[in-house]
């Protein structure tokens, strides 16, 4: 760790890495945010970048995918991921689908990006803010279906992966991840019911 | 103090409502959250290359 809150998931030479929280988390509805910073990045033709992964792979928290542009995620069975990576430009993708150019939020050396991802129902929304470009943000909306069904469980391992080039196509980016916050948002029904009942009780008490 | 029957019913409803509200709150609180890396305690780190592990 660069400090107790900053993970250096890659550190230069072509690498393939993953990091997973040891306890599975609910994935029916959730919100996750983190800061991604490329400390050194020289774009090459091989994708270099980071994935935020939800997975129920047989390897559990020890799962790691392929390098060579696979971002440490490609080939990982029973997994879904948000990929943020650089090739000619910065791209954002869900799963293994080809990415779309963000335009607004670019991975670049020493330019932190603040990523927020919300999953509600079957919809995934992603916002990426670049503090250097206030008022300009990437907003992506993905129809991803039921993660619980796709991953075979209402809970999954949460973590990150990254890769940085190949032995012959040297990228060697250093990626830092910090300020991660994952919250399994409670089902709206439970909180709404509780709140409605409390309000009803207070009104009845006040009317007595 | 005289408690009217209708008042007793209302208080009972209020008690049930509060209990239901607490159940809803407990359901929300029982869900785990991740906040920060905390020095990677509780995390598993992996690599398939020959470089150093993520730190």
């Amino acid at each position: 760790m660069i400090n107790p809150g900053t993970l250096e998931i890659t550190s230069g030479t072509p690498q393939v890495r993953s990091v997973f929280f040891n306890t599975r988390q609910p994935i029916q509805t959730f919100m996750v945010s983190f800061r991604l910073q490329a400390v050194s990045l020289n774009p090459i033709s091989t994708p270099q970048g980071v994935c935020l992964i939800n997975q129920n792979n047989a390897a559990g928290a020890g799962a790691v995918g392929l390098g060579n542009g696979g971002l440490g995620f490609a080939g990982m069975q029973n997994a879904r991921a948000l990929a943020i990576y650089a090739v000619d430009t910065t791209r954002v993708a869900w799963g293994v689908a080809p990415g779309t150019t963000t335009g607004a939020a670019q991975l670049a050396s020493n330019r932190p990006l603040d990523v927020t991802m919300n999953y509600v129902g079957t919809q995934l929304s992603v916002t990426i803010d670049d503090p250097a470009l206030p008022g300009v943000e990437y907003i992506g909306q993905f129809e991803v279906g039921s993660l619980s069904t796709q991953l075979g469980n209402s809970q999954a391992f949460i973590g990150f992966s990254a890769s940085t080039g190949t032995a012959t196509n040297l990228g060697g980016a250093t990626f830092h991840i910090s300020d991660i916050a994952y919250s399994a948002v409670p089902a709206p029904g439970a909180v709404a019911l509780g709140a409605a009942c409390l309000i009803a009780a207070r009104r009845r008490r006040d009317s007595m | 103090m005289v408690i009217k029957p209708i008042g007793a019913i209302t208080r009972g409803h209020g008690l049930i409502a509060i209990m239901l509200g607490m159940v809803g709150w407990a359901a929300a609180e029982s869900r785990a959250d991740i906040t920060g890396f905390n020095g990677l305690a509780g995390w598993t780190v992996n690599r398939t290359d020959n470089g150093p592990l993520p730190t």
Side-chain angles (χ1 to χ4, degrees):
Chain A
M1 307 294 286
I2 303 304
N3 59 56
T6 301
L7 166 71
E8 185 169 272
I9 193 166
T10 59
S11 55
T13 58
Q15 296 170 342
V16 188
R17 309 297 175 74
S18 70
V19 177
F20 288 101
F21 195 64
N22 289 339
T23 307
R24 292 177 208 249
Q25 301 294 307
I27 56 170
Q28 291 164 312
T29 300
F30 62 86
M31 178 174 69
V32 58
S33 59
F34 62 95
R35 170 168 281 193
L36 170 62
Q37 180 165 355
V39 177
S40 62
L41 175 66
N42 297 305
I44 55 176
S45 58
T46 300
Q48 300 181 94
V50 170
C51 290
L52 171 69
I53 301 175
N54 300 76
Q55 57 94 357
N56 276 319
N57 187 267
V64 55
L66 300 173
N68 297 332
L71 304 179
F73 167 70
M76 189 183 294
Q77 300 296 312
N78 228 19
R80 298 291 185 275
L82 175 75
I84 303 171
Y85 60 101
V87 191
D88 47 350
T89 61
T90 301
R91 296 166 186 258
V92 179
W94 172 256
V96 294
T100 53
T101 304
T102 68
Q106 298 290 336
L107 268 175
S109 293
N110 297 312
R111 286 272 294 275
L113 297 178
D114 291 324
V115 183
T116 301
M117 190 169 94
N118 279 286
Y119 175 67
V120 179
T122 60
Q123 292 285 321
L124 184 77
S125 62
V126 179
T127 61
I128 302 177
D129 290 297
D130 182 342
L133 298 171
V136 179
E137 66 180 2
Y138 165 82
I139 299 176
Q141 195 80 25
F142 300 85
E143 170 60 47
V144 302
S146 168
L147 283 181
S148 297
T149 301
Q150 293 165 21
L151 302 184
N153 199 308
S154 62
Q155 297 187 326
F157 290 104
I158 309 299
F160 298 92
S161 70
S163 71
T164 60
T166 71
T168 56
N169 194 11
L170 303 175
T174 295
F175 288 114
H176 289 175
I177 302 170
S178 62
D179 301 295
I180 179 176
Y182 181 94
S183 176
V185 181
V191 172
L193 175 64
C197 290
L198 284 171
I199 291 169
R202 182 167 294 174
R203 282 182 176 167
R204 284 190 173 132
R205 182 195 63 200
D206 292 344
S207 66
M208 290 174 59
Chain B
M1 179 179 177
V2 177
I3 300 175
K4 297 177 182 178
I6 186 67
I9 292 171
T10 301
R11 286 193 179 97
H13 285 164
L15 180 60
I16 292 170
I18 291 171
M19 291 173 68
L20 285 171
M22 292 174 70
V23 168
W25 179 255
E29 287 296 290
S30 67
R31 292 167 183 267
D33 287 341
I34 301 170
T35 303
F37 286 105
N38 191 28
L40 284 177
W43 295 76
T44 297
V45 296
N46 315 284
R47 63 164 167 73
T48 56
D49 56 74
N50 292 322
L53 282 167
T55 56

